[in-house]
Structures are given as structure tokens and as C-alpha cells.
Amino acid sequence: MEYLMTKTIISCSFFAFAILSTPAFAVEADAAIDTDGDGAYNLAEMQAAFPEVTEVVFVAIDANENGTVDVDEFAVAKGAGLIGS
Ligand SMILES: [Ca+2]
Ligand SMILES: [Ca+2]
């Protein structure tokens, strides 16, 4: 019985942590663009959705230079009019 209680408390704590550690402004990657479902947009995915995105533009959008555009980089690029304008 005590084991079950402890287990329940641990499960609830973990659940709360999972919610709290997710920023309220977190945006899911757009599945229409993120066709491989890895949560970020690579060059091919970006060009499929936005043909105007050249490799030069893509590199400019990829602010942290990890080879993919995440939702934050995407939002910045969109705000700057680099895509979807
Ligand atoms: Ca992807
Ligand atoms: Ca990036």
C-alpha cells in the first residue's frame, strides 16, 4: 500500500514537472512543413513549403547554425519577412 502511494506521488510529481518545464509559448512544429516529424525544418522541407527560400536564406534563418530551422528561428524569419511574405 505504501509502495503504491509512493509510486503515485512520484508519477504525479513527474507529470507536474513535465508540464512546468514546457514553456507556455512553446509552438509545435507545423506538420505540414516538418514532413519527417523531427520537430524542425531542414532545407528540403523549407523549400518544399517556401520555394523562395534559397540555401543562403536558409543559412541566414538557421541562427544557431545547427542545420535545421526550429520553430523559434522560423518565427523570427517570418517576422522579418524572409518567409511566407
Ligand atoms: Ca523535419
Ligand atoms: Ca537552427
Side-chain angles (χ1 to χ4, degrees):
M1 185 62 192
E2 195 177 320
Y3 168 75
L4 274 177
M5 287 279 288
T6 306
K7 198 178 175 196
T8 304
I9 290 168
I10 289 172
S11 298
C12 288
S13 301
F14 183 77
F15 188 60
F17 174 77
I19 291 173
L20 292 172
S21 61
T22 304
F25 54 81
V27 181
E28 294 272 316
D30 187 341
I33 305 171
D34 181 24
T35 49
D36 66 5
D38 68 350
Y41 314 134
N42 61 32
L43 179 61
E45 289 170 342
M46 285 292 285
Q47 290 183 328
F50 307 100
E52 74 271 23
V53 174
T54 63
E55 197 167 344
V56 172
V57 171
F58 182 84
V59 169
I61 296 171
D62 181 20
N64 65 0
E65 300 178 346
N66 69 345
T68 58
V69 169
D70 60 36
V71 289
D72 294 329
E73 291 166 345
F74 184 82
V76 170
K78 202 160 189 180
L82 287 171
I83 41 177
S85 56

